[in-house]
Amino acid sequence: MRAGDLNRRITIQRRGDAKGGWGGSPKPGADNWEEVGKAWASIKTLSGLGAIKADAEMSVVKASIRLRWRADLAAGMRVLHGGTVYDIKAVLPDTARREHVDLVCEVREG
């Protein structure tokens, strides 16, 4: 894997515990994310498609993110790059050579 291909600095996050004050129970409807780490990656947009859901127009963009090998990634996490949030739908590791991991992601706007 060439280092020049990894030209985007990303932040990887997983859903954390949204605790109430003083370590109480989770807040209802809280959306709390904690940082897993940062990495250099390449981001490629695969497709964009329009869909109508519940009488609201939405666009769904699919992307592939490739980064160096790491074993702590899972579907349900997310990647941040600039102001864009990528929801990780699948993790495809290069198990033969352990050089990289491809993340199948979606970006939703609408």
Side-chain angles (χ1 to χ4, degrees), residues 16-28 30-34:
D17 294 330
K19 298 285 184 184
W22 301 91
S25 60
K27 295 178 185 177
D31 194 22
N32 189 27
W33 293 88
E34 59 187 33

Side-chain angles (χ1 to χ4, degrees), residues 2 14 19-21 31 36 39 43 46 56-57 64 66 68 71 77 79 81-83 89 93 101 104:
R2 295 179 6 195
R14 71 171 162 238
K19 298 285 184 184
D31 194 22
V36 173
I43 301 174
L46 301 176
E57 193 171 322
S64 174
R66 176 170 284 186
R68 292 193 190 284
M77 292 178 154
V79 169
H81 178 257
K89 299 300 181 183
V101 176
V104 178

Side-chain angles (χ1 to χ4, degrees), residues 3-10 39-43 65-68 79 81 101 103:
D5 294 337
L6 307 177
N7 58 2
R8 305 282 188 260
R9 188 71 169 161
I10 62 169
W40 288 98
S42 99
I43 301 174
I65 300 176
R66 176 170 284 186
L67 59 150
R68 292 193 190 284
V79 169
H81 178 257
V101 176
L103 306 176

